[in-house]
Amino acid sequence: MINTIYVENEIKDHLRTLSILSKFKRSRVIYIHKYSEIFNKKKQSFRLQKKDPLLILAKKNNNFVLKAPEGFGIGASENYYFSHMYNCIYDCKYCFLQGLYSSANYLVFVNYEDFLTQIKNLVTRNKGKSITFFSGYDCDSLAMEKVTNFAVFFLKNYLQSKNITYEFRTKSLQIHPFLKNEPTENIIIAYSLLPEDFANKFDVKVPSINLRIKSLKQLTSLGWKIGLRFDPLIYNKNWKISYKELINTILNEIDMNYLHSVSFGSLRFPKQIFSTISNMYPGDELFSYNFEKRDNVYSYKDEVEEEMISFCKNLIHKKVKKDVQIFSCTPY
Ligand code: SF4
């Protein structure tokens, strides 16, 4: 239940605003000038707001599509990301949004068309190059789908071209827009996955691993391309057993003919975000192993990262077809 919804005056009559508001008939609606009055306020407590987040509906005016960070890619020469929403209904302990924003309120930008216009401009500017556009960087791309209908809109209107791939990264079971549409080679639905024992501790409020695997099976049964994202890889003393079990379960249950790519990235945080988040969880197991600072990023020791990524990659290599692409977000 969302008790209060803030709406920017400029989009108060926007059809998408009205449609979203119609889903929250009992919520209090407050009209504001700019979303930043609420979202960017100083001295907010992310953890406190996470207990009872507000919804903010706004218009995004710039930076619709941004260059993806170094190492974020699945084989294209150019990588960009876009977020129709900031923040998430889930509460993963390692989520970098906790350190990125001071507010945990859900901010939804209703002018979806402008994201597609920017994508089209970038495709024109990068003519002939392969490009991946990632959805789900500042949010989970599907978790709020019942409210936002963003994927429904996207699937009706996206630009098709053989050089372009779109990735919807998620942990959500809200895959109905894909189930209702014909599969296409250009779109990958990529699931972030952790071994069950890790997910039970760190993926707070997130659908279980079994349910995520069930969604992957549903998608492949209809011919949709999927991605497996083992990012973050999390360390504990039993990590080998846990990851072996997870990877074997997935490879046994899912039709590998529809596997587009697999990627790995060990747990890592930009310096400032690391101190903010680790202070939110004093004494938590997630931060109890040695982290090292390298190039302003806190991550496990080099040799731990390397061993984890090589071990998991080998498990995958043994079972999947040669043309499945396997990537590391760190250089191993
Ligand atoms: S699903 Fe992703 S965006 Fe949502 S809380 Fe977890 S890590 Fe953050």
Side-chain angles (χ1 to χ4, degrees):
M1 176 61 192
I2 288 173
N3 291 317
T4 305
I5 306 178
Y6 285 91
V7 179
E8 278 186 352
N9 284 320
E10 192 181 348
I11 48 100
K12 74 177 172 30
D13 298 321
H14 194 293
L15 285 181
R16 219 162 269 133
T17 304
L18 300 175
S19 158
I20 293 174
L21 289 179
S22 73
K23 294 171 187 166
F24 298 96
K25 292 206 165 57
R26 295 168 62 194
S27 306
R28 181 172 61 136
V29 179
I30 300 173
Y31 294 97
I32 51 171
H33 181 52
K34 282 279 163 218
Y35 75 81
S36 48
E37 294 162 27
I38 307 296
F39 194 75
N40 297 351
K41 255 198 246 168
K42 295 223 163 71
K43 296 198 177 150
Q44 304 190 81
S45 163
F46 190 98
R47 293 300 331 149
L48 215 58
Q49 284 189 358
K50 197 76 193 165
K51 292 185 180 155
D52 189 16
L54 311 165
L55 174 62
I56 306 168
L57 303 179
K59 180 177 176 209
K60 194 164 174 62
N61 292 308
N62 50 31
N63 295 330
F64 296 99
V65 185
L66 295 167
K67 199 93 181 126
E70 201 65 34
F72 205 85
I74 47 171
S77 62
E78 303 295 321
N79 296 294
Y80 293 92
Y81 71 90
F82 58 96
S83 305
H84 66 290
M85 167 172 183
Y86 293 170
N87 282 326
C88 184
I89 59 171
Y90 305 142
D91 196 10
C92 306
K93 282 189 177 168
Y94 49 81
C95 181
F96 85 113
L97 299 176
Q98 303 169 96
L100 188 65
Y101 300 127
S102 52
S103 171
N105 292 326
Y106 309 141
L107 171 58
V108 174
F109 299 110
V110 298
N111 49 325
Y112 301 165
E113 292 77 6
D114 291 331
F115 289 88
L116 283 189
T117 303
Q118 179 70 27
I119 286 175
K120 284 175 189 158
N121 292 343
L122 282 165
V123 170
T124 309
R125 208 186 302 159
N126 288 287
K127 201 167 173 222
K129 291 186 184 169
S130 59
I131 315 177
T132 304
F133 293 99
F134 293 90
S135 166
Y137 191 80
D138 297 291
C139 60
D140 180 291
S141 46
L142 298 175
M144 277 269 269
E145 180 63 21
K146 274 193 182 153
V147 172
T148 65
N149 270 330
F150 181 76
V152 171
F153 163 83
F154 194 89
L155 289 172
K156 269 195 204 136
N157 297 291
Y158 72 99
L159 176 70
Q160 294 211 33
S161 157
K162 66 177 172 37
N163 287 333
I164 311 172
T165 309
Y166 304 93
E167 176 180 300
F168 278 76
R169 194 169 291 196
T170 192
K171 293 178 184 145
S172 163
L173 313 179
Q174 300 301 323
I175 53 172
H176 52 276
F178 300 95
L179 303 184
K180 285 186 193 150
N181 277 279
E182 286 296 312
T184 154
E185 288 289 310
N186 299 106
I187 295 183
I188 301 155
I189 304 105
Y191 270 78
S192 305
L193 299 150
L194 280 182
E196 195 179 356
D197 47 339
F198 291 52
N200 290 342
K201 285 187 268 190
F202 306 129
D203 282 356
V204 181
K205 298 187 186 163
V206 182
S208 71
I209 289 297
N210 281 341
L211 289 174
R212 282 180 243 174
I213 293 176
K214 206 170 151 200
S215 287
L216 282 164
K217 280 166 83 170
Q218 262 183 297
L219 288 162
T220 54
S221 72
L222 293 175
W224 284 95
K225 291 270 180 197
I226 54 146
L228 303 176
R229 307 289 172 249
F230 299 97
D231 188 359
L233 286 171
I234 295 182
Y235 180 88
N236 80 5
K237 61 180 179 1
N238 295 321
W239 69 269
K240 280 190 182 167
I241 298 170
S242 300
Y243 276 99
K244 191 171 179 184
E245 193 182 315
L246 171 69
I247 291 173
N248 285 339
T249 305
I250 292 171
L251 299 186
N252 288 335
E253 291 205 19
I254 289 170
D255 185 345
M256 289 296 128
N257 289 315
Y258 298 99
L259 178 58
H260 171 275
S261 54
V262 183
S263 63
F264 299 98
S266 69
L267 186 64
R268 60 206 181 281
F269 303 93
K271 180 174 167 257
Q272 193 48 46
I273 285 183
F274 177 79
S275 49
T276 308
I277 301 181
S278 55
N279 286 334
M280 288 175 177
Y281 301 100
D284 196 278
E285 184 189 341
L286 190 66
F287 299 99
S288 63
Y289 299 98
N290 282 343
F291 280 83
E292 266 183 6
K293 183 168 149 288
R294 293 194 299 278
D295 302 330
N296 264 334
V297 172
Y298 275 87
S299 53
Y300 298 137
K301 284 175 185 291
D302 243 349
E303 55 273 25
V304 174
E305 277 193 346
E306 189 172 351
E307 192 190 0
M308 292 184 82
I309 290 176
S310 307
F311 178 85
C312 294
K313 261 189 186 175
N314 282 338
L315 288 173
I316 299 273
H317 269 305
K318 280 185 196 156
K319 289 233 183 174
V320 301
K321 290 193 305 189
K322 284 207 174 60
D323 60 346
V324 167
Q325 309 178 78
I326 302 183
F327 300 98
S328 302
C329 305
T330 34
Y332 305 111

